[in-house]
């Protein structure tokens, strides 16, 4: 038994050329590449701290001692009281005058939402949060978590 493939050619006819419609209304301005997202604080939060989502979807401190910290939300851009809205930066450049990073080196998730450039030996989970650009700036770009068993 032989197989046959039949290909039909169809003719396409353009009835009329489409035109661009009128532009819609301008939306509200947002941050570049939507890197800022607002969450409800699940605890009192300080600024420039790494947060994760708790079981209720609220922002709480991430920690390298807690395996569920692998689901990072990002870094808080300011402080927030319990139940208040907190802005979280998910990616991009962050600048903080009080930081004193070593440029070009990775920045790891520490405990209690803090960041460190010291490799977290003894941690339950190791996450590179980003890389230092200068002593007071970093490129926030969380890497895949490494779960230590």
């Amino acid at each position: 038994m032989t197989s046959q493939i039949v290909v039909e050619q169809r003719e396409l006819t353009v009835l009329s050329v489409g035109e661009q419609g009128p532009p819609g209304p301008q939306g509200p301005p947002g941050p570049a590449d939507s890197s800022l997202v607002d969450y409800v604080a699940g605890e009192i939060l300080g600024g420039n701290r790494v947060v994760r989502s708790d079981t209720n979807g609220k922002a709480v401190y991430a920690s390298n001692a807690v395996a569920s910290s692998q689901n990072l939300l990002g870094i808080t851009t300011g402080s927030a009281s319990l139940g208040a809205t907190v802005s979280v930066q998910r990616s991009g450049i962050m600048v903080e005058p009080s930081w004193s990073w070593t440029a070009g080196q990775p920045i790891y998730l520490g405990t209690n939402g803090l960041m460190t450039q010291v490799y977290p030996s003894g941690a339950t989970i190791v996450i590179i949060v980003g890389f230092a650009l200068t002593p007071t700036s970093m490129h926030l770009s969380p890497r895949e978590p490494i779960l230590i068993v």
Side-chain angles (χ1 to χ4, degrees), residues 14-130:
V14 177
L15 300 175
S16 65
V17 177
E19 293 183 22
Q20 177 73 37
Q26 171 129 9
D33 73 10
S34 299
S35 64
L36 288 177
V37 179
D38 288 340
Y39 293 95
V40 174
E43 62 184 333
I44 297 170
L45 298 172
N48 298 306
R49 303 280 283 272
V50 183
V51 290
R52 65 175 176 88
S53 179
D54 70 5
T55 56
N56 297 313
K58 296 180 179 179
V60 295
Y61 287 136
S63 174
N64 64 17
V66 180
S68 60
S69 289
Q70 63 187 318
N71 299 315
L72 295 184
L73 297 175
I75 298 177
T76 59
T77 61
S79 60
S81 57
L82 174 65
T85 299
V86 63
S87 284
V88 175
Q89 185 163 338
R90 300 175 57 85
S91 63
I93 308 298
M94 292 190 77
V95 177
E96 169 53 45
S98 67
W99 286 339
S100 57
W101 303 125
T102 301
Q105 298 297 310
I107 299 170
Y108 300 97
L109 170 63
T111 58
N112 205 28
L114 297 172
M115 296 174 279
T116 180
Q117 284 192 297
V118 176
Y119 183 84
S121 60
T124 301
I125 190 167
V126 176
I127 300 176
I128 294 176
V129 176

